[in-house]
Amino acid sequence: MIRILKSGLLTSIQDLGRYGYQKHGIIASGVMDSVAHRIANFLVNNAANAPTLEITLMGPVIEFQEDTLISICGGELSPMIDGEHVNMWKLIYVRKGSELRFGQPKQGFRAYLAIAGGFDVPRVMNSASTYMRAAVGGFQGRMLEKGDEIPVYPDTDLSGIFQSLSSEIRKDPFIEAPWFVAPEITSYTKTNEPIRVMRGREFELFDDASQNNFMKNSFKIDPKSDRMGYRLKGTTLSLKEKQEIVSEAVTFGTVQVPPEGNPIILLADRQTTGGYPKIGQVASVDLPRIAQMKPGENMTFRHISHAEAQHLYLKRENQLHQLKRGIHSKHH
């Protein structure tokens, strides 16, 4: 079990999402950064879809009620256990009674805490993800608050490494495994490269200046952005002529343009359908990068083809598959 001593800015329980129900108007939700979430679970030998804590910018204070194994991946939010710096992207043995807290955010926007065994929360429509607007899923359908106690499933698969690290810990509050995830996999949280985007279904309906401006100009993430979507401020985008667009399915990374001309990138808590014209679709490989960008930051876009987007996605999935195999061999 873990106990929340301080809530932080926005901490919620998320998994990979509530899929299969969007045709009924049920929002998918799920983690914003699926790469950090999955790697955090790999490190503690959980299933990729096991729920993690999604921690936003200013982290919570958490007390561990038993000896356990954890990992923290994603944005560098300066985690500390009992005042000592903790490394990201590592397997960590934590002693009962230790406190995890976060300091000054250094890089990125969201971190993911996985715990061996996984958080024991009810599944709603086959998912533990929290959708706060509807008070569905996660821990009582809301962000975590001071005093919450979240049970954890007992871990059975890491007994060997658990005993190995516990025998080395001596009097320290925690000990880290001697290996870590390679920087070529984790560096996406630090890059300022353009976000790769494919042309949206209504791209050709926009005037030439808007098509060029979307692909060449910089846009700032509006402070009013949230898990539903990032509102962008910059050059406004216009259609060649006013159009009535039929509402149709949207997905994570769809870039819609409302009548006032400021694009919105739809994210994890997006609606199931949208009626605004779609100028672009962010390539799946860059969605975790967007999740690590803060309101106030600037982003630019670069056009790629569907074939390129598929190639990049498969390349990253292959990297993650090899990483999972490598971690599995360390556990055994």
Side-chain angles (χ1 to χ4, degrees):
M1 183 172 305
I2 65 166
R3 190 161 191 265
I4 307 299
L5 304 182
K6 187 178 176 184
S7 62
L9 177 65
L10 174 59
T11 305
S12 64
I13 292 178
Q14 302 289 345
D15 59 19
L16 291 174
R18 188 166 284 109
Y19 288 95
Y21 301 94
Q22 291 179 89
K23 61 188 176 186
H24 303 299
I26 305 297
I27 286 167
S29 297
V31 290
M32 289 280 283
D33 180 346
S34 63
V35 168
H37 163 89
R38 289 163 68 190
I39 293 174
N41 274 323
F42 293 165
L43 285 165
V44 296
N45 209 33
N46 289 346
N49 196 39
T52 58
L53 292 193
E54 182 177 89
I55 296 161
T56 310
L57 196 63
M58 306 298 291
V61 179
I62 297 170
E63 182 183 66
F64 296 95
Q65 305 285 297
E66 54 209 306
D67 292 2
T68 191
L69 293 163
I70 68 166
S71 62
I72 307 165
C73 297
E76 171 57 86
L77 307 183
S78 302
M80 297 168 283
I81 294 177
D82 286 3
E84 292 184 42
H85 171 74
V86 181
N87 283 305
M88 308 281 295
W89 309 99
K90 275 195 163 193
L91 177 67
I92 305 160
Y93 176 97
V94 184
R95 198 192 290 280
K96 176 181 178 179
S98 300
E99 281 184 16
L100 169 66
R101 64 176 63 230
F102 295 82
Q104 190 68 28
K106 291 182 179 176
Q107 190 82 43
F109 194 44
R110 294 175 172 91
Y112 293 83
L113 170 69
I115 189 164
F119 297 104
D120 182 3
V121 294
R123 299 314 194 256
V124 178
M125 288 172 274
N126 302 321
S127 172
S129 280
T130 313
Y131 178 49
M132 285 161 276
R133 282 194 171 104
V136 169
F139 187 80
Q140 299 178 12
R142 58 169 171 78
M143 60 186 275
L144 300 186
E145 298 172 359
K146 180 180 178 180
D148 288 344
E149 293 188 337
I150 305 162
V152 175
Y153 288 111
D155 167 63
T156 55
D157 294 333
L158 288 172
S159 54
I161 198 162
F162 189 92
Q163 289 168 1
S164 168
L165 290 173
S166 64
S167 67
E168 296 176 34
I169 196 168
R170 299 184 179 89
K171 293 182 179 179
D172 297 321
F174 70 96
I175 186 171
E176 298 173 351
W179 41 271
F180 56 89
V181 180
E184 56 261 33
I185 296 177
T186 66
S187 61
Y188 73 91
T189 63
K190 301 179 176 68
T191 180
N192 292 317
E193 292 292 310
I195 298 294
R196 291 164 286 195
V197 65
M198 297 161 283
R199 289 179 177 177
R201 191 175 171 95
E202 286 82 39
F203 183 83
E204 298 299 336
L205 298 182
F206 288 86
D207 60 41
D208 292 347
S210 295
Q211 292 179 14
N212 289 329
N213 289 335
F214 177 63
M215 293 297 182
K216 291 179 180 175
N217 289 3
S218 177
F219 293 87
K220 180 172 282 191
I221 303 170
D222 191 283
K224 292 195 280 286
S225 300
D226 57 19
R227 279 177 43 92
M228 187 173 178
Y230 273 11
R231 298 173 177 273
L232 305 182
K233 296 286 188 183
T235 309
T236 55
L237 309 177
S238 309
L239 298 174
K240 292 172 184 171
E241 54 188 67
K242 192 172 179 180
Q243 299 270 350
E244 284 295 323
I245 308 293
V246 176
S247 286
E248 59 184 6
V250 291
T251 189
F252 204 150
T254 298
V255 187
Q256 290 189 314
V257 182
E260 80 275 5
N262 292 311
I264 301 171
I265 306 175
L266 301 183
L267 303 174
D269 284 347
R270 65 199 175 275
Q271 69 274 26
T272 57
T273 62
Y276 295 136
K278 298 173 286 298
I279 195 169
Q281 175 65 45
V282 175
S284 297
V285 72
D286 279 347
L287 294 175
R289 284 184 51 208
I290 288 177
Q292 294 300 344
M293 297 181 78
K294 305 180 191 70
E297 285 186 24
N298 293 312
M299 71 168 69
T300 54
F301 296 100
R302 178 169 71 83
H303 174 253
I304 64 170
S305 67
H306 281 86
E308 286 177 279
Q310 288 173 330
H311 171 74
L312 291 166
Y313 174 78
L314 292 172
K315 180 181 175 183
R316 187 187 67 194
E317 287 301 303
N318 187 49
Q319 270 187 326
L320 292 175
H321 180 68
Q322 291 180 338
L323 173 66
K324 185 179 179 182
R325 287 177 60 187
I327 292 171
H328 187 75
S329 70
K330 298 285 187 185
H331 289 157
H332 297 86

